[in-house]
Amino acid sequence: MKYPDPHDDSSNLRADQDSDFTRLVEHALSRRRFLFGAGAAGLGAFFMTTPRVRAVQAETGTVATAPVTTAAPASTLLGFKAVPASTADTVVVPEGYRAEVLISWGDPIFADAPAFDPAGKTPAAAQERQMGDNNDGMTLFMIDATRGVLAVNNEYINPELMFAHQGREMTADDVRTAQAAHGVSIFEIVRTDQGWQVDQTGRVNRRITASTPMDITGPAAGHALLKTAADATGTRVLGTFNNCANGHTPWGTYLTCEENFNNYFGTRAAAFGPTPLMERYGITARDERYQWHRFDERFDIARNPQETNRHGWVVEIDPFDPQSTPKKRTALGRFKHENAELVVADNGQVVVYLGDDERGEHLYRFVSQGKYSDNNKEGNRELLSAGTLYVARFEAAAGELKGKGEWLALTHGRHGLTAENGFADQGEVLIKTRLAATRVGATTMDRPEWVAAHPDRQAVYCSLTNNKNRGKKENQPVGGPNPRPENPYGQIVRWMPTGGDHTSNTFEWDLFVLAGNPGVHQGDLYAGSANINADNIFNSPDGLGFDRDGRLWIETDGNYSNEKDFAGMGNNQMLCADPQTGEIRRFLTGPVACEITGLTFTPDYKTLFVGVQHPGEDLAPSHFPAGGDSKPRSSILMITRTDGGVIGA
Ligand code: FEO
Ligand code: CA
Ligand code: CA
């Protein structure tokens, strides 16, 4: 999402002087030397030396060597013809592929729901029976060979598109409609002769909104900091909102991740000042965008300050039981969650990788206390309620784009997480996850977005989408996996757990790609790594996911101005990469002012569902998907091959 720029860590207490910045940048660039090399065996070999990315003389006077100088072998994983960049208000897919719309914001997901009304006056009761807005992460769970249930996040709304008054004259009813458009949409889809279609009579169809009752579970459940006037127990909360990306478990549940929850809180109480904890999470009195606090006391932070602590979690949902109560999983930490990538370690412990998407925030890992077992259905369902949360520290020699790393436990009583430092117990460590991460010395990252584990489980990838503050703030020095001042383009870091063991506390890391623009920049890291060229340029990698064969799918949420630093990149897009060769090929381009986000496949990998989010945001000239002079609407696409083959092959 773009407005109101939720990723700015302006609340963090750090130096931000332009004069300092100039000095920092010059220093960083002058001392940089580039070392590229293989991480784990078989990985990293695509980082070739080129004229624009080469070893330069180090401060010490030695010359760093770049080990691989041969051309990358042609990919055998990628079988499609790349599409060019596009600024058109449409979706473009490769020759031999087709893209169709499955569902758009406002479409009925129950047979008794009204059709979408573009007039901008939809009541909450109707929106609660329709597809929510701004579809983001999603997972398809199969019921049988021709029927599945699709669980889809509805991250936020665009007031300028949702309401006839474009958000300028919000009422209590408008706020209820907006709350009903958030959360998660769950609906059955069936395969017909015409492809997959929504079944409005599906048994499990359900809308989860910003008002749905949920349980708070795990170490922070019942904590004094989670108690409010409406819930003296600190264990029951209404709703989930700003559900960005997602995850799923081998026991058949859906994970929805609360990201920029801070934007929904505010107050008009003149005397109110946010606490340091609120400031670290970006919670301020000001909220002109959603204005929920004006009409719903729960969101007024002067009246209900602790309501804020009840959001920013991962929520586990049983998509097969519409009567089930969603569970907020406090063991996975409280921050601006992106997605939740789950891997079952060799010993059966469940490992979940988690990014905190804000400039200068961190990358996390949860390791369950219990172990997964195919035969223990009830036990599996509690695996995310107890375990250890860790945060990543990356290490590298100056100028190197690879190195080692360590997972630091966020456990009460260790690493300074004590009562005298403001952490009375494990619940408080989790409620204040960001503060705990800083205390233990975690590495500040360039906005960790999605994490994806390769199906061979040897390497895990994370999009670091961009960071205009890199090198400008004292706590965000240039180096390691965040090697560029002001980083406008983003990169994908990957790490290889020691011994292939995801419970190991150490790893090696390298960069899979540095996005960049070789048409604008030459001779420095802003040109991008060697696997970036004129035909595949992009910025701001965000959504990530592997398919069964190990193709890495990359979705972008970046600058679509198509000018200056971003000239030639066009609209947001989806690319596909071969992790072995490093080749990256553009697969899809989106319509005007959209972000491409969310992906899930059918089990045969012959249908790919992809999200087009906020086309026409800020009243940009989009009429996607219906065309003409229609209102633009976030939509889920179904992508298939005309020959019925596997997507990407
Ligand atoms: Fe909702 Fe970080 O993207
Ligand atoms: Ca995202
Ligand atoms: Ca993003």
Side-chain angles (χ1 to χ4, degrees):
M1 65 186 285
K2 188 172 118 184
Y3 179 82
D5 197 359
H7 308 290
D8 208 335
D9 61 348
S10 53
S11 54
N12 295 354
L13 306 172
R14 278 105 199 201
D16 191 7
Q17 304 289 333
D18 278 349
S19 54
D20 286 353
F21 172 56
T22 308
R23 183 179 48 74
L24 268 170
V25 171
E26 285 171 353
H27 180 62
L29 290 175
S30 69
R31 69 200 286 260
R32 176 158 305 125
R33 67 190 193 280
F34 309 134
L35 284 174
F36 296 102
L43 296 169
F46 62 90
F47 253 128
M48 303 163 291
T49 50
T50 73
R52 59 187 161 83
V53 180
R54 62 187 185 277
V56 297
Q57 191 154 13
E59 283 174 307
T60 57
T62 58
V63 175
T65 55
V68 180
T69 55
T70 52
S75 172
T76 53
L77 264 186
L78 309 183
F80 62 92
K81 188 176 170 199
V83 301
S86 167
T87 56
D89 189 31
T90 189
V91 167
V92 178
V93 290
E95 284 172 24
Y97 284 77
R98 87 168 75 80
E100 300 158 283
V101 173
L102 174 72
I103 191 170
S104 300
W105 160 49
D107 282 343
I109 65 167
F110 293 93
D112 63 357
F116 175 71
D117 176 5
K121 294 179 179 167
T122 299
Q127 179 62 77
E128 281 169 1
R129 310 287 282 172
Q130 297 171 332
M131 173 73 171
D133 199 1
N134 276 289
N135 49 273
D136 204 313
M138 58 183 155
T139 299
L140 175 62
F141 300 87
M142 295 308 291
I143 296 172
D144 58 36
T146 59
R147 179 173 288 270
V149 52
L150 194 56
V152 187
N153 289 349
N154 298 114
E155 188 182 25
Y156 71 110
I157 65 152
N158 295 96
E160 71 276 22
L161 296 173
M162 179 166 281
F163 302 110
H165 54 65
Q166 299 178 355
R168 290 189 289 255
E169 298 162 28
M170 292 294 284
T171 66
D173 280 346
D174 292 339
V175 167
R176 282 192 281 273
T177 296
Q179 291 175 340
H182 281 73
V184 182
S185 297
I186 299 173
F187 49 87
E188 294 184 21
I189 60 174
V190 285
R191 192 166 68 197
T192 70
D193 291 343
Q194 286 80 47
W196 291 91
Q197 295 181 352
V198 174
D199 181 355
Q200 296 171 357
T201 67
R203 187 185 62 81
V204 306
N205 292 7
R206 180 183 194 183
R207 276 304 320 280
I208 289 168
T209 72
S211 310
T212 302
M214 316 202 157
D215 290 336
I216 300 175
T217 74
H223 198 280
L225 290 168
L226 297 184
K227 293 178 180 173
T228 62
D231 171 29
T233 71
T235 61
R236 292 280 284 174
V237 61
L238 294 181
T240 185
F241 41 88
N242 215 278
N243 303 79
C244 183
N246 65 309
H248 60 274
T249 70
W251 51 95
T253 58
Y254 183 68
L255 303 175
T256 184
C257 305
E258 299 174 351
E259 193 186 24
N260 296 298
F261 65 94
N262 57 310
N263 291 334
Y264 300 83
F265 293 94
T267 187
R268 290 189 165 180
F272 181 81
T275 63
L277 179 60
M278 287 179 177
E279 287 185 337
R280 179 60 186 265
Y281 284 83
I283 296 160
T284 62
R286 183 177 52 85
D287 167 25
E288 285 106 28
R289 179 175 171 82
Y290 299 112
Q291 305 177 42
W292 292 6
H293 66 92
R294 291 177 54 203
F295 304 99
D296 185 342
E297 192 174 292
R298 192 155 68 96
F299 297 93
D300 185 322
I301 50 176
R303 293 183 178 182
N304 280 301
Q306 298 208 157
E307 182 67 19
T308 58
N309 295 336
R310 294 145 63 87
H311 304 279
W313 305 103
V314 172
V315 187
E316 185 170 6
I317 298 169
D318 181 351
F320 296 99
D321 181 1
Q323 305 306 321
S324 61
T325 302
K327 293 176 165 38
K328 296 209 177 188
R329 296 302 193 186
T330 66
L332 276 60
R334 175 171 171 264
F335 42 90
K336 295 184 180 179
H337 280 279
E338 189 70 21
N339 78 331
E341 177 72 342
L342 189 149
V343 178
V344 179
D346 290 343
N347 72 357
Q349 284 179 289
V350 168
V351 176
V352 187
Y353 294 103
L354 307 149
D356 181 354
D357 178 11
E358 187 157 341
R359 301 184 184 102
E361 289 298 336
H362 308 293
L363 180 67
Y364 294 87
R365 179 190 69 164
F366 167 82
V367 180
S368 69
Q369 185 178 303
K371 295 182 176 178
Y372 174 76
S373 164
D374 284 336
N375 308 317
N376 186 1
K377 198 172 173 196
E378 289 312 307
N380 292 339
R381 285 178 174 265
E382 289 311 311
L383 285 171
L384 301 185
S385 63
T388 305
L389 186 66
Y390 299 81
V391 66
R393 181 163 64 200
F394 289 79
E395 292 162 10
E400 288 200 25
L401 299 179
K402 64 185 177 63
K404 296 183 184 304
E406 185 181 1
W407 294 107
L408 306 167
L410 300 180
T411 301
H412 182 251
R414 295 180 58 193
H415 303 314
L417 302 178
T418 59
E420 66 227 32
N421 289 327
F423 304 96
D425 49 34
Q426 187 60 27
E428 191 157 0
V429 168
L430 293 165
I431 292 163
K432 300 178 173 177
T433 299
R434 284 181 164 185
L435 301 179
T438 298
R439 165 67 59 175
V440 305
T443 300
T444 61
M445 307 297 285
D446 286 350
R447 293 184 53 195
E449 299 253 26
W450 293 49
V451 182
H454 190 283
D456 72 7
R457 303 191 309 159
Q458 296 302 301
V460 189
Y461 294 61
C462 177
S463 292
L464 302 173
T465 196
N466 57 54
N467 182 3
K468 68 181 181 185
N469 292 342
R470 179 63 57 186
K472 288 179 77 170
K473 300 219 174 188
E474 201 177 329
N475 75 324
Q476 296 174 50
V478 172
N482 309 284
R484 293 180 292 192
E486 289 195 85
N487 187 14
Y489 296 124
Q491 62 268 16
I492 297 176
V493 65
R494 64 180 165 186
W495 59 95
M496 288 59 74
T498 301
D501 175 6
H502 289 264
T503 69
S504 170
N505 287 339
T506 57
F507 56 86
E508 293 186 22
W509 66 269
D510 67 9
L511 294 180
F512 176 67
V513 61
L514 274 166
N517 198 333
V520 175
H521 300 279
Q522 292 87 35
D524 63 30
L525 286 182
Y526 299 90
S529 48
N531 49 349
I532 293 296
N533 56 61
D535 294 327
N536 69 5
I537 50 174
F538 64 94
N539 75 88
S540 306
D542 187 341
L544 282 187
F546 280 96
D547 63 26
R548 175 187 58 192
D549 297 331
R551 291 176 203 87
L552 177 62
W553 297 86
I554 304 167
E555 300 174 318
T556 74
D557 169 23
N559 186 308
Y560 46 76
S561 65
N562 201 38
E563 60 179 29
K564 298 180 181 165
D565 274 348
F566 309 98
M569 294 180 175
N571 295 347
N572 277 306
Q573 53 187 282
M574 184 178 200
L575 307 103
C576 188
D578 180 336
Q580 288 291 337
T581 65
E583 181 175 347
I584 300 173
R585 215 175 273 184
R586 188 180 294 119
F587 177 79
L588 173 152
T589 56
V592 167
C594 82
E595 154 186 356
I596 303 296
T597 185
L599 71 160
T600 189
F601 290 89
T602 50
D604 60 8
Y605 289 83
K606 293 179 174 177
T607 302
L608 164 62
F609 298 90
V610 172
V612 174
Q613 196 191 46
H614 62 69
E617 68 172 353
D618 298 337
L619 306 179
S622 174
H623 302 283
F624 184 85
D629 60 356
S630 67
K631 181 174 280 194
R633 295 159 71 192
S634 294
S635 302
I636 295 173
L637 303 175
M638 295 177 282
I639 297 174
T640 51
R641 275 171 60 167
T642 50
D643 67 0
V646 170
I647 303 300

